[in-house]
Amino acid sequence: MLKLAIIGLLAVAQTASPSPTASSAAKAQTPSAAISTKAAGPFQGATKPETPKEAAIPPTATVITVRGACAKQGSAKAACVTHVSKKEFDTLLKLVLPPSQPETPQIRRTLAQRYVELIAVADAAEKAGVQNSPEYALLRLRSLAEAYQRQITQKNQNIPQSEVEAYYNQHKDEYDSATLRRLYIPKADPAKPKATAAEKAAFAKKAEDVGNQMEERAKKGEDMDTLEKDAYHALGLTITPPSTQIGPVRKGALPPATDKEIFSLSAGGTYKDDEPTAMIVYKVEKKETIPLDKVKVEIERTLQREKIESKLKGITSSVKADYNEAYFGPVTPPESPEAPMAKPPALKK
């Protein structure tokens, strides 16, 4: 039951405040509300240097004595007293407090009070036999699975620089970027929404012809802003044309077919994209590869995710199960085959 208390404390820490008003509000919370609050994120807490007075207290010294509740493992059942050492409570603080949360004596006391309330309710739950219920069994599985995933995440937080560099070199083309100019020529006049079908077809044909002309002029090095003005004038468009400047654009950011064509070009190259609603002429002004230091954090996150997914996939793939088709029905394709681990089923409220 102590593990459930820790999980409840994780959420309580988010509302703890050093102000007297907030402290009073925290005391007004019921134990059940503290227990039912969902924890979020991996265990990582704030640390601060100890004051001389705090440092004088040995780690094994009792800092909380709970009389009348025996939920904590190792407590004296006969006397029904639970002792919490400084080391134990400091560990709870590290689990609960986020890095940005200041650790003040008042926050420490507020968390201690919530912890005592959780121990009391956990003790009552054990006496009521909650630990033998199907609900508790499912909560236990969920808590173990989520805690293990957090543990795996923590173990993979620090990716070696050598792995980052190796990944970057192996996927260097993924970090290509291009600075573009784009000429957008609509195939319909937005100022004439009630045009006939024949008028719309004629305008679309003229837009294609103008687009072809502008592409040829772009290849010869003419300024894209000038070309756009000429194109809109030729079509009689009175709307303000969009900016021709785009980028830098990362490889993979554009639609696949367009992306492939754009990144096959050298600087100065052009590509005309004939879309249903517009003629688009692209011109590559500059191409470069994003340096490692600019994508280092991104690569670290990618490697962390791959390591976590690989670990979880190895665990789940090692387990085999047979299902009674008379009860579950025939096998159907999984809805999310990429998910490394399905979320535990939610409990009914």
Side-chain angles (χ1 to χ4, degrees):
M1 298 304 293
L2 178 58
K3 293 180 180 179
L4 290 179
I6 294 174
I7 293 171
L9 276 172
L10 284 169
V12 175
Q14 305 301 320
T15 59
S17 169
S19 67
T21 303
S23 178
S24 299
K27 290 180 181 179
Q29 289 182 343
T30 61
S32 59
I35 291 175
S36 64
T37 307
K38 183 180 179 182
F43 292 154
Q44 54 179 357
T47 59
K48 75 171 187 65
E50 288 187 324
T51 64
K53 186 176 180 181
E54 293 168 356
I57 303 174
T60 56
T62 297
V63 294
I64 303 175
T65 301
V66 185
R67 296 179 178 82
C70 312
K72 181 174 175 291
Q73 294 178 356
S75 57
K77 289 287 183 179
C80 201
V81 177
T82 297
H83 298 281
V84 181
S85 69
K86 175 189 174 185
K87 181 179 180 180
E88 289 174 318
F89 193 72
D90 283 347
T91 300
L92 289 176
L93 286 175
K94 291 178 182 179
L95 294 178
V96 171
L97 292 182
S100 60
Q101 177 73 53
E103 184 188 327
T104 65
Q106 190 161 354
I107 285 180
R108 196 181 299 145
R109 179 175 288 275
T110 298
L111 291 175
Q113 291 169 341
R114 300 288 80 76
Y115 184 48
V116 170
E117 291 173 355
L118 287 166
I119 289 177
V121 176
D123 181 44
E126 283 193 339
K127 291 174 180 177
V130 172
Q131 70 274 21
N132 300 318
S133 68
E135 180 183 24
Y136 179 87
L138 182 55
L139 284 171
R140 176 181 174 277
L141 290 175
R142 180 196 294 274
S143 297
L144 284 172
E146 291 179 352
Y148 184 56
Q149 290 186 59
R150 285 193 293 268
Q151 184 183 91
I152 296 173
T153 299
Q154 284 187 313
K155 287 182 178 179
N156 290 282
Q157 281 184 340
N158 299 317
I159 304 297
Q161 180 67 17
S162 59
E163 291 187 29
V164 174
E165 293 175 355
Y167 185 94
Y168 177 78
N169 292 327
Q170 292 170 7
H171 301 82
K172 211 163 189 177
D173 62 331
E174 297 178 10
Y175 303 106
D176 288 344
S177 70
T179 301
L180 309 173
R181 299 294 290 274
R182 183 187 68 176
L183 178 60
Y184 184 89
I185 306 172
K187 290 185 176 180
D189 188 349
K192 298 178 180 179
K194 296 183 179 180
T196 65
E199 290 173 334
K200 290 179 179 179
F203 187 94
K205 178 63 172 64
K206 188 174 182 179
E208 291 180 13
D209 293 339
V210 171
N212 292 333
Q213 296 170 19
M214 296 304 118
E215 182 191 21
E216 292 302 318
R217 291 172 61 181
K219 287 180 179 179
K220 295 176 181 178
E222 291 193 44
D223 179 69
M224 294 291 281
D225 286 330
T226 300
L227 295 180
E228 188 169 56
K229 290 178 182 178
D230 290 350
Y232 277 54
H233 178 73
L235 292 171
L237 294 171
T238 58
I239 60 173
T240 302
S243 174
T244 63
Q245 297 184 350
I246 301 179
V249 176
R250 177 83 171 265
K251 187 175 184 179
L254 297 169
T258 302
D259 193 81
K260 182 179 179 181
E261 294 290 342
I262 292 294
F263 283 92
S264 67
L265 299 172
S266 300
T270 63
Y271 168 66
K272 183 183 65 182
D273 190 3
D274 187 357
E275 296 196 351
T277 59
M279 296 290 293
I280 304 176
V281 179
Y282 293 96
K283 184 175 183 178
V284 179
E285 287 202 327
K286 183 174 66 174
K287 288 182 69 178
E288 60 183 347
T289 301
I290 303 172
L292 174 59
D293 62 314
K294 300 293 185 182
V295 292
K296 182 176 182 293
V297 173
E298 175 186 330
I299 293 174
E300 287 175 340
R301 289 173 180 169
T302 298
L303 291 173
Q304 288 167 358
R305 183 176 64 253
E306 288 181 353
K307 288 175 179 288
I308 294 167
E309 290 179 352
S310 175
K311 179 67 174 179
L312 294 176
K313 185 176 181 180
I315 294 171
T316 56
S317 63
S318 67
V319 176
K320 307 299 179 184
D322 297 320
Y323 301 93
N324 186 328
E325 290 193 9
Y327 179 77
F328 292 104
V331 177
T332 57
E335 293 181 4
S336 180
E338 297 180 358
M341 179 180 286
K343 289 184 178 181
L347 294 173
K348 293 182 179 178
K349 294 183 179 180

